[in-house]
Amino acid sequence: MRSLYPNYQEKKKDYLEQWDRVCRWYAKVKSIELKYYDKKLSPDTQQDFLLSFFFNAFILKDWIKKTKTDQGIEEIFNGPTGRQSLMVLADFVTNYKHFDNSRRNRLDKNTWLVSRDGVSDPVGPTHTWWIESQGKKINLYRLADDVFNDLSAYLKSKHYI
């Protein structure tokens, strides 16, 4: 696997292409949460931004494993020393990707997107998405913050960013 962009290849840091993608999707998620968007951005598009962030965050793990030969990154996605947010992320993405919960799970094989709340205000509709894991509803904006912060902390601890 190689980055499509020469500037990442030259640095021998191909994984930074994927990290930059994660950062761009996270910025889009924050823009939705903070209502810095056009009122015409449909709830479906807003949900797509959230899902794209989560899928790209999970895929980063594979880029790190390949380009940095860092198998240790698996530990932060798995128990017992894993990060809660990243284990929820792994269960959610795996279940969503395969449209079943028969794959290996980290915390709860029944981690699913369960609802969307919407309220209207002068700026436009505000939506909040929820997943359920371990019998609790989790706000996807909070999960996105935790996932981003946990990935950032790991990458910084390894001096990857």
Side-chain angles (χ1 to χ4, degrees), residues 1-24 56 59-68 148 151-152 154-156 158-161:
M1 176 170 62
R2 301 260 333 168
S3 171
L4 296 175
Y5 303 99
N7 60 324
Y8 295 116
Q9 291 173 3
E10 290 167 11
K11 296 178 189 176
K12 297 188 188 246
K13 295 185 176 184
D14 299 275
Y15 67 93
L16 287 175
E17 176 188 339
Q18 184 63 18
W19 173 243
D20 288 347
R21 189 173 295 113
V22 169
C23 292
R24 288 191 303 271
N56 278 287
I59 290 167
L60 176 66
K61 172 176 61 79
D62 295 328
W63 283 66
I64 296 291
K65 283 169 41 179
K66 291 288 185 183
T67 62
K68 299 302 282 181
F148 186 80
L151 287 173
S152 295
Y154 180 82
L155 296 175
K156 287 175 184 173
K158 295 290 191 171
H159 305 289
Y160 294 164
I161 58 171

Side-chain angles (χ1 to χ4, degrees), residues 124-137:
T126 302
H127 299 275
T128 302
W129 286 262
W130 302 88
I131 62 170
E132 187 173 306
S133 182
Q134 299 178 295
K136 296 180 239 171
K137 280 177 74 173

Side-chain angles (χ1 to χ4, degrees), residues 61-148:
K61 172 176 61 79
D62 295 328
W63 283 66
I64 296 291
K65 283 169 41 179
K66 291 288 185 183
T67 62
K68 299 302 282 181
T69 61
D70 179 356
Q71 300 303 312
I73 195 165
E74 283 288 346
E75 294 174 17
I76 65 171
F77 285 87
N78 297 300
T81 60
R83 303 292 304 160
Q84 179 86 9
S85 71
L86 299 178
M87 289 188 287
V88 170
L89 167 72
D91 286 344
F92 174 59
V93 168
T94 300
N95 288 343
Y96 204 93
K97 176 184 172 191
H98 297 286
F99 203 66
D100 70 23
N101 57 4
S102 63
R103 306 283 177 182
R104 185 180 129 243
N105 63 75
R106 277 79 169 177
L107 292 173
D108 183 358
K109 68 179 184 175
N110 295 309
T111 301
W112 295 100
L113 188 63
V114 292
S115 64
R116 177 183 81 204
D117 299 334
V119 296
S120 189
D121 65 26
V123 177
T126 302
H127 299 275
T128 302
W129 286 262
W130 302 88
I131 62 170
E132 187 173 306
S133 182
Q134 299 178 295
K136 296 180 239 171
K137 280 177 74 173
I138 300 170
N139 178 311
L140 282 189
Y141 293 122
R142 298 295 74 72
L143 181 61
D145 289 339
D146 291 345
V147 163
F148 186 80

Side-chain angles (χ1 to χ4, degrees), residues 26-42 46 49-50 117-129 141-142:
Y26 182 66
K28 288 178 185 264
V29 166
K30 294 308 287 181
S31 73
I32 294 167
E33 179 186 17
L34 300 173
K35 302 181 200 173
Y36 299 142
Y37 58 85
D38 186 329
K39 287 190 248 184
K40 296 175 185 165
L41 194 62
S42 74
Q46 294 174 41
F49 285 6
L50 280 158
D117 299 334
V119 296
S120 189
D121 65 26
V123 177
T126 302
H127 299 275
T128 302
W129 286 262
Y141 293 122
R142 298 295 74 72

